[in-house]
Amino acid sequence: MAEPAMVDRGIQSLIAATNHLKSSLEKSKAIGLALERTSPRFDEIKQRLPSLEAAVRPIRADREALVAVGGHINRAVGPAAAVLKVLDAVHGLEKSLLSDPKNDLSGYLAVLKRLEEALRFLGENCGLAIQWLEDIVEYLEDHSVADEKYLSNLKKSLKGLREFQQEKARLDGGLRDAALDKLENEFRRLLKDNSVPLPMAPPLGEQACIAPPQLPVTVIHKLQAVLGRLRANNRLEMCVSIYVEVRSSNVRASLQALDLDYLDISVTEFNDVQSIEGYISQWGNHLEFAVKHLFEAEFKLCGDVFERFGSNVWLDCFSKIAAQAGMLAFLQFGKTVTDSKKDPIKLLKLLDIFTSLNKLRGDFNRLFGGAACVEIQSFTRDIIKKLIDGAAEIFWELLVQVEIQKQIQPPSDGGVPRLVSFVTDYCNKLVGDKYKSTLSQVLLIQKSWRSERFQENQLTVEILRIIKMIEQNMEAWMKAYPDQTLAHFFGMNNHYHLYKSLKGTRIGDQLGDSWLKEHDQYKEYYATVFLRDTWGKLPSHLSREGLILFSGGHATARDLVKKRLKSFNDAFDEMYKKQSTWVVPEKDLRERVCQQIVQAVVPVYRSYMQNYGPLVEKDASSSKYVRYTVVALEKILSSLYIPRPMRYGSFKGTPPSEKLRNDVDLRRTTSAVV
């Protein structure tokens, strides 16, 4: 009975176990389905575990480490927050600084100054904030308060911050450079808009007035304000370049009105004395006007604009303007004159150049005397040395040059040689008011360079030696004429030229009245001898000997008159042909000589024709013997010895023979007496 009972209990237990197993399987299946549905959440939790672990690590860290890290964090948060606040302020300035400074320059400069202060703060505090943050990372790492991956990310971020901080220009994203560029453009605009070429009308022969400041005071103040900000940002050099560019261009534009093309003339062109005569006079006036009117004003303006930045800055600025605006071109012209060939006439031009530079010596020393103008100084010194050496060389060689001319042939027209007229006029100029003091100064300087002594009267002594050498040349030339008549004619001309050219001059005063009187007497002597041996012989051909006139005329008397008129005409024609090319340059002497010839010939001819002309006039061949009327003869004699340039205006004019025939009727007209 016991066994069935045990079987039943076993079955019951098995059934219960089976049911329990079924129930467990159902629960497992339900759990499996639930787990399957929550699997993504587990994956998410798995991914967050490291960060959660890092977040709870401080909770797991030592209490003392957790307390200490709070102080480190508090010290870093303050500077970092301040830096962030200033960065936000910098971003707030962007709109104002990217606008045009022209609209509100003072406001723009104030905003830019705020930016500079902000950047200065950032530059000083970014490093401090980063240092505190680095201290936190170092503490966390040393005390294992944070996860290694977390620390690695922090270190990487701090490294980027450090690199960013070292590139200070990136703190404002290039805003300051953009603003400074705008200020430079505004500086240029202010200069250009207010730099107007001056109306150039130099009062030639008068001292040029000094120009007033060329920029309004308000503009100068604006320029100074802009310069202050740009200089604070190391951009002063760029401002100077802009200033020099604009102002030198303005000066050049002002000078263009003076027509300075001649400054570029070559040395070869300068060798033509006639072409440089006017240029040098222009150059002196233009240089004085440019220095006193333009460069003086630029010098003052540079000082006004750059006065706050030291004399070296504005003097350097002015020197660049002077060089670029044309000062060196003026000096180059002077150098070209010194480099041209050493003709005596060039001495006066060298003295003119020296006078102009010497007159402006004080202005040159003041305007161009600084270290910044070394190029102009060197150029000027070189020119002055060449001027002095060149002028002295020409002067001391004058005597030798005059003496050499003794060997040339005297003029075929009996006139005054070019050398005589040139030297007398030249020497008068050298000792005249315009050149004497300058030439003496030049010779004194040149002698001092050679450690030689220059006597006070040495200039006059040398000039007198030159004049006396001219006298010796005249004597040699007179002896060179094979025709004594022409020699006397030459002597008359040249002694009178010396007398007239030197009388009443400083040279004449030094030579004395007796010297002048002697030459006047020589002139009279040679004139008398010349007239006696030439035109004075003509009346002898009109002798009245053997002529007995009757009321009805007489054949013998008529033949004798014809013969004597023919002899007179032939002698006259021959003499006129010979002397028609001779000249008397001095008008008063020429008129006097012609008058004496007329007085010697015409009255005799008139009387002869009045008395004996009727014997011939009725003859069919009268024109053969009566070639000239009295009026025609007088005109011919009165028109002798006129220099061709005066007579015809040009060497290319009508030939003398044709001109004479046009002016004077050589044929007999109605009456030989008229």
Side-chain angles (χ1 to χ4, degrees):
M1 290 295 293
E3 290 179 356
M6 290 178 64
V7 171
D8 289 338
R9 285 195 298 271
I11 293 172
Q12 289 297 324
S13 296
L14 182 60
I15 293 170
T18 301
N19 291 335
H20 180 73
L21 181 60
K22 288 181 179 180
S23 176
S24 296
L25 287 172
E26 291 294 332
K27 288 181 180 179
S28 296
K29 190 181 292 184
I31 291 172
L33 292 173
L35 286 174
E36 186 177 352
R37 289 195 299 269
T38 58
S39 179
R41 293 184 62 191
F42 280 115
D43 292 337
E44 181 182 351
I45 292 171
K46 183 179 180 180
Q47 291 176 359
R48 291 177 60 190
L49 280 176
S51 59
L52 291 173
E53 182 180 3
V56 300
R57 175 163 292 190
I59 301 174
R60 295 160 49 199
D62 294 340
R63 183 182 178 200
E64 294 179 358
L66 290 174
V67 171
V69 78
H72 286 279
I73 293 173
N74 289 335
R75 283 193 296 271
V77 167
V83 167
L84 290 174
K85 184 177 181 180
V86 172
L87 279 173
D88 288 339
V90 167
H91 293 153
L93 301 176
E94 184 173 349
K95 182 178 180 180
S96 298
L97 292 177
L98 293 180
S99 64
D100 193 342
K102 175 182 178 180
N103 300 324
D104 181 12
L105 181 60
S106 59
Y108 192 91
L109 292 173
V111 173
L112 178 58
K113 188 174 182 180
R114 287 172 55 194
L115 174 63
E116 293 171 10
E117 293 171 351
L119 293 178
R120 192 178 306 113
F121 175 85
L122 291 175
E124 294 171 353
N125 290 276
C126 276
L128 181 62
I130 293 172
Q131 181 64 50
W132 285 118
L133 292 173
E134 288 175 344
D135 288 346
I136 294 174
V137 173
E138 184 179 350
Y139 184 87
L140 294 175
E141 185 177 26
D142 291 344
H143 295 82
S144 301
V145 176
D147 182 75
E148 290 183 1
K149 186 176 181 181
Y150 177 75
L151 290 174
S152 175
N153 290 335
L154 282 177
K155 288 179 181 179
K156 187 180 297 183
S157 298
L158 287 174
K159 181 180 179 183
L161 285 175
R162 179 67 72 183
E163 293 174 351
F164 183 83
Q165 185 262 341
Q166 290 175 350
E167 298 180 25
K168 294 182 180 179
R170 294 178 58 187
L171 292 175
D172 63 345
L175 180 60
R176 178 170 57 178
D177 286 342
L180 293 175
D181 290 342
K182 286 183 172 292
L183 270 188
E184 285 182 359
N185 292 333
E186 177 62 8
F187 186 79
R188 183 187 296 275
R189 186 197 67 78
L190 284 170
L191 282 173
K192 279 192 170 183
D193 289 355
N194 295 278
S195 296
V196 180
L198 294 177
M200 305 296 285
L204 301 182
E206 301 177 10
Q207 183 175 357
C209 61
I210 296 177
Q214 299 181 36
L215 294 179
V217 175
T218 54
V219 173
I220 292 177
H221 289 165
K222 288 182 179 180
L223 291 173
Q224 289 175 335
V226 173
L227 282 170
R229 291 267 52 84
L230 290 173
R231 185 196 189 194
N233 290 277
N234 299 317
R235 292 207 181 192
L236 181 60
E237 185 176 348
M238 177 58 69
C239 292
V240 171
S241 297
I242 293 172
Y243 186 91
V244 169
E245 175 192 340
V246 175
R247 293 304 301 176
S248 61
S249 175
N250 190 67
V251 175
R252 286 195 301 271
S254 298
L255 288 173
Q256 284 179 357
L258 297 180
D259 189 15
L260 300 177
D261 291 344
Y262 67 87
L263 293 180
D264 298 324
I265 198 168
S266 66
V267 174
T268 303
E269 291 174 290
F270 258 107
N271 289 332
D272 180 1
V273 174
Q274 292 180 348
S275 69
I276 69 173
E277 190 77 26
Y279 292 148
I280 291 178
S281 176
Q282 275 186 311
W283 178 84
N285 289 322
H286 289 164
L287 176 63
E288 181 178 1
F289 188 69
V291 169
K292 290 184 175 292
H293 194 79
L294 279 179
F295 292 117
E296 175 72 32
E298 289 301 323
F299 183 80
K300 184 178 184 303
L301 187 60
C302 280
D304 291 341
V305 173
F306 294 96
E307 62 180 347
R308 301 177 184 176
F309 310 103
S311 60
N312 289 340
V313 174
W314 69 266
L315 287 176
D316 179 64
C317 185
F318 170 74
S319 71
K320 292 176 180 176
I321 291 174
Q324 294 183 23
M327 191 62 213
L328 293 176
F330 274 107
L331 296 176
Q332 179 59 50
F333 177 90
K335 183 177 182 298
T336 303
V337 177
T338 64
D339 291 340
S340 58
K341 64 183 180 182
K342 300 289 190 298
D343 283 336
I345 191 63
K346 182 184 170 184
L347 173 57
L348 301 181
K349 303 303 108 188
L350 294 177
L351 295 178
D352 286 337
I353 296 287
F354 180 85
T355 299
S356 296
L357 291 175
N358 195 43
K359 185 178 181 180
L360 297 171
R361 181 173 55 180
D363 299 284
F364 266 67
N365 290 338
R366 181 167 49 83
L367 299 179
F368 312 116
C373 294
V374 62
E375 184 179 10
I376 293 177
Q377 295 168 25
S378 177
F379 214 144
T380 305
R381 282 195 299 268
D382 182 57
I383 292 172
I384 291 176
K385 186 177 188 308
K386 288 185 174 182
L387 287 171
I388 292 174
D389 287 340
E393 179 184 351
I394 293 173
F395 178 76
W396 294 122
E397 288 183 356
L398 281 177
L399 182 64
V400 176
Q401 293 297 322
V402 171
E403 185 177 11
I404 291 174
Q405 299 300 312
K406 188 185 299 182
Q407 303 172 6
I408 68 172
Q409 291 297 312
S412 60
D413 60 7
V416 178
R418 169 64 179 156
L419 176 68
V420 175
S421 59
F422 171 79
V423 169
T424 51
D425 179 62
Y426 189 70
C427 290
N428 276 329
K429 287 182 178 179
L430 292 180
V431 297
D433 293 334
K434 183 177 180 180
Y435 291 109
K436 183 178 180 181
S437 60
T438 303
L439 179 56
S440 297
Q441 183 181 2
V442 165
L443 297 177
L444 174 63
I445 295 173
Q446 199 251 1
K447 287 281 188 181
S448 68
W449 288 347
R450 299 183 176 186
S451 300
E452 299 176 1
R453 187 177 179 182
F454 180 73
Q455 300 293 337
E456 185 177 352
N457 65 338
Q458 196 166 350
L459 173 59
T460 302
V461 170
E462 190 69 15
I463 292 293
L464 296 181
R465 291 178 64 193
I466 293 172
I467 296 298
K468 291 179 179 179
M469 182 56 67
I470 285 290
E471 288 185 288
Q472 296 179 27
N473 286 12
M474 285 168 49
E475 293 176 5
W477 289 330
M478 284 188 66
K479 294 176 181 178
Y481 281 111
D483 183 349
Q484 283 299 303
T485 301
L486 184 56
H488 295 152
F489 186 81
F490 172 85
M492 172 192 72
N493 269 325
N494 285 270
H495 282 287
Y496 183 68
H497 180 81
L498 286 182
Y499 170 79
K500 184 177 181 179
S501 299
L502 301 177
K503 182 177 175 59
T505 66
R506 291 179 178 175
I507 298 176
D509 293 342
Q510 290 292 326
L511 291 168
D513 290 339
S514 60
W515 186 92
L516 292 170
K517 186 177 180 180
E518 180 180 0
H519 282 279
D520 189 40
Q521 290 173 343
Y522 271 123
K523 177 263 298 181
E524 290 293 338
Y525 169 75
Y526 288 122
T528 301
V529 174
F530 163 71
L531 289 171
R532 183 195 66 194
D533 294 343
T534 55
W535 301 102
K537 293 182 177 181
L538 275 179
S540 64
H541 293 281
L542 300 176
S543 172
R544 302 190 182 200
E545 184 179 354
L547 292 176
I548 301 175
L549 296 180
F550 300 94
S551 59
H554 193 279
T556 302
R558 183 170 57 250
D559 292 342
L560 194 56
V561 169
K562 288 181 179 180
K563 180 179 179 181
R564 289 175 179 174
L565 282 174
K566 184 178 183 304
S567 175
F568 173 86
N569 291 334
D570 291 344
F572 177 86
D573 289 346
E574 181 181 356
M575 197 172 300
Y576 178 82
K577 181 180 179 181
K578 178 180 180 180
Q579 297 188 23
S580 62
T581 58
W582 296 5
V583 298
V584 178
E586 301 292 347
K587 182 179 178 181
D588 55 339
L589 178 61
R590 181 172 66 251
E591 291 176 348
R592 182 182 173 190
V593 170
C594 288
Q595 184 181 11
Q596 289 176 339
I597 294 173
V598 168
Q599 289 175 351
V601 176
V602 172
V604 176
Y605 185 73
R606 179 185 291 112
S607 175
Y608 196 84
M609 294 305 297
Q610 286 175 344
N611 292 317
Y612 307 112
L615 290 174
V616 183
E617 287 179 344
K618 296 178 181 180
D619 195 286
S621 60
S622 61
S623 60
K624 181 178 179 181
Y625 303 101
V626 184
R627 298 180 188 173
Y628 307 101
T629 65
V630 173
V631 173
L633 188 67
E634 185 172 354
K635 285 184 177 180
I636 292 172
L637 294 176
S638 298
S639 64
L640 284 168
Y641 313 130
I642 299 177
R644 293 181 183 179
M646 293 176 60
R647 194 178 194 181
Y648 309 116
S650 169
F651 287 107
K652 299 179 181 179
T654 307
S657 58
E658 294 183 19
K659 187 71 175 179
L660 186 60
R661 285 198 295 271
N662 290 335
D663 286 347
V664 181
D665 185 2
L666 301 181
R667 298 171 299 170
R668 179 180 177 276
T669 56
T670 56
S671 173
V673 179
V674 177

